[in-house]
Amino acid sequence: MTDKPVVLDASAVLAAFFDEPGADHVAARMSGALLSAVNFSEVVAKLVDRGAPPDQIREIMAQLDVAVVPIDREQAMTAGLLRAETRAAGLSLGDRACLALAISRGGVALSTDRAWSALATPAEIELAR
């Protein structure tokens, strides 16, 4: 493990919520982690897709012990520029926002998406297994 800030990808948060593979790893790293506002929105959207009512979603998200970080101009630029390096792996805007936040904070991006293991980006990546 590292003492760098942990930046959670939406896949990591969802794994913890739904006890998917890697959930224990994510749970151990979640407290005090960072979450891009873009990834926060992604998690909310996935909860909507699973049929959770808005009040329940608000309650679930309020209980997260993470700092939600607004995306700023520099992170937005970095996320956009990461497109060329991540397109082949199929990374979404949310994935790239997570990586951009990790880069800007000198942190480690935590994801459950195995496609991230092949990435050559300036971000340090940790896969929850």
Side-chain angles (χ1 to χ4, degrees):
M1 302 287 176
T2 178
D3 29 334
K4 296 178 181 181
V6 174
V7 180
L8 300 171
D9 178 42
S11 69
V13 175
L14 291 166
F17 281 175
F18 298 111
D19 200 26
E20 296 172 349
D24 290 341
H25 183 114
V26 174
R29 306 281 279 143
M30 190 176 276
S31 182
L34 305 177
L35 182 66
S36 169
V38 176
N39 293 114
F40 184 94
S41 181
E42 269 192 314
V43 172
V44 169
K46 291 294 186 182
L47 293 171
V48 168
D49 289 349
R50 290 182 180 232
D55 288 344
Q56 183 183 28
I57 293 170
R58 289 181 194 285
E59 184 178 318
I60 290 167
M61 298 306 287
Q63 292 176 20
L64 273 179
D65 182 19
V66 299
V68 177
V69 181
I71 189 165
D72 62 22
R73 184 183 188 112
E74 171 121 3
Q75 290 171 35
M77 177 65 74
T78 300
L81 293 173
L82 284 169
R83 178 71 171 156
E85 298 165 55
T86 63
R87 182 178 314 157
L91 270 65
S92 68
L93 172 60
D95 295 335
R96 290 181 281 120
C98 174
L99 290 169
L101 178 57
I103 291 166
S104 75
R105 298 291 178 95
V108 56
L110 178 59
S111 178
T112 62
D113 187 345
R114 294 187 195 282
W116 288 36
S117 64
L119 295 177
T121 71
E124 182 178 337
I125 296 169
E126 180 179 324
L127 291 181
R129 310 230 176 204

